[in-house]
Amino acid sequence: MDAWRAADVPVLPGRGVELRLRNTATGKLTAAATGHKASLYACGITPYDATHIGHAATFTAWDLLVRAWLDAGHEVTYAQNVTDIDDPLLERAERDGDDWWELAVRETERYRRDMEALRVLPPTYLVGAVEALPVINRFAERLAARGALYDLDGDVYFARGADPAFGSLAGPETACGLSLAQLTMLSAERGGDPDRPGKKDPLDAVVWRAERPGEPAWDSHFGRGRPGWHVECAAIATEYLGAAFDVQAGGSDLVFPHHELSASHARVACAPPTPGAGAEGHVFARLYAHSGMVAYQGAKMSKSLGNLVFVSRLRESGVDPMAIRLAIAAHHYRADWEWTDGVLAEAESRLSRWRAATAPASPAAPASPASVVSPASHLAAAPVAATSAGVPAAEAVLQTVRERLAGDLDAPGALAAIDAWADAVLSAPPGSVQPDPVRLIRDTADALLGVAL
Ligand code: 5CA
Ligand code: ZN
């Protein structure tokens, strides 16, 4: 399906620093790409109640990743799905007396507009589950050919016992270190059915769900029905990125069972000697990146609880999308945090200071009377060379921003470097900063943080 229009990305002088990310499976900082080509699969939305700030935080985190890769000279291939057929979507359509497909189309479009407004660069491939049904079916047939599937009253399950490496993302031996009991509990909470009688193992997952009365269904090798959730991402990721790729990304609520099962499906379906499996034998992602959960009013922002703050509503009420981006970037992508009016006010204050400092006739008076963010703490975090007027050199600011982002996407550290520059400019004598450094700071904020000033 169509993605959305890409914002222009200014080309920065020099070359970006190689990005390292914390791999959820190992807990270690790891090079996000190993060659010239870099590939990312990010789990996309289930199109109802999108785009809330939690979604926006997750997708802007992957946008920082893509921007860091581009800045370091990589050729980036980025695939993202849209889960436009699944239980939660059908349940919401049923609850509201809506047509499920109209709901999906409408919400996907809202998501596109929000991403564009936030200057999130579009994926190379935005792929809906429904349009990918032939891809998903081919993939599921490969699982069947490897003897990994079994039938339970017409539903088709993946036997996790078919994958000796099951648990290598979240299981007891990983940095997550989750016990079997914990994995089972998470599976029940997040769309699995560990208690269904007749399953070979509680953690086995549905690959093809037989048609139910009143539900949409499509023909397949397994009869009429619809695909499971994990097989959707396993099939789309390997179709568009190959059997082995660099990064699989999503919110921390997807670590288990979704990402574990997607990888497990892929290991079985694409096990070597499949052409395209990684040189070192790995299949699916080399690295798993997970973003923290954004809360609102004391609980994780979620469609099921309904405690949502929508990007579209904020925009309609006159909030600048760049302030939304800055509010998100003020938190490390792996942190859990809470959206409040104060978080937004702080971001609006930062945006007006940055704009005042980079205005054509800078330095100008800041638009807001007082900075909510303490400049002193940020000055300490930005060890950059200074010009004679005490303003850090723009090239040094760029270097600091690059280094902060390259170290596990430390966006708050990157903001601090620009804060230090902006605060110094705003307190320097008028006319002491030349247009070229101002332009470089604007380009830095735009190219690396997606913030147009
Ligand atoms: N379609 C599936 C993935 S294949 C899905 O999880 N859809 S979603 O709409 O529920 O979420 C889309 C992305 O936003 C996922 O990466 C999810 O982890 C992330 N997300 C959902 N809620 C939050 C939240 N409150 N904070 C941060 N990220 C969130
Ligand atoms: Zn997914």
Side-chain angles (χ1 to χ4, degrees), residues 41-44 81 83 229-230 232-234 248-249 254 258-259 262:
Y41 184 84
C43 281
N81 68 311
T83 307
W229 176 28
H230 317 308
E232 168 193 339
C233 285
Q248 156 77 311
L254 300 187
H258 184 50
H259 287 174
S262 298

Side-chain angles (χ1 to χ4, degrees), residues 1 106 186 230 243 316:
M1 58 171 66
R106 192 170 68 232
L186 286 176
H230 317 308
E316 280 155 23

Side-chain angles (χ1 to χ4, degrees), residues 23 52 57 61 68 70 77 117 143 159 193 207 383 398 414 435:
N23 184 352
H52 61 63
L70 292 174
T77 309
L143 287 176
D193 56 1
V207 165
L398 166 60

Side-chain angles (χ1 to χ4, degrees), residues 268-316:
V268 174
C270 310
T274 303
E280 67 275 46
H282 86 271
V283 170
F284 217 59
R286 203 169 38 75
L287 191 160
Y288 292 84
H290 290 100
S291 52
M293 288 292 113
V294 182
Y296 184 56
Q297 297 172 332
K300 173 195 158 187
M301 206 179 277
S302 76
K303 296 183 278 207
S304 43
L305 290 177
N307 57 336
L308 306 174
V309 176
F310 292 102
V311 171
S312 50
R313 297 249 173 85
L314 290 172
R315 289 168 53 214
E316 280 155 23

Side-chain angles (χ1 to χ4, degrees), residues 217-288:
W218 293 265
D219 288 327
S220 81
H221 172 77
F222 310 101
R224 280 182 71 72
R226 59 184 169 91
W229 176 28
H230 317 308
V231 71
E232 168 193 339
C233 285
I236 294 175
T238 53
E239 172 77 10
Y240 288 88
L241 301 178
F245 54 94
D246 289 311
V247 178
Q248 156 77 311
S252 59
D253 58 340
L254 300 187
V255 174
F256 196 90
H258 184 50
H259 287 174
E260 184 79 57
L261 261 303
S262 298
S264 191
H265 288 354
R267 274 190 296 267
V268 174
C270 310
T274 303
E280 67 275 46
H282 86 271
V283 170
F284 217 59
R286 203 169 38 75
L287 191 160
Y288 292 84

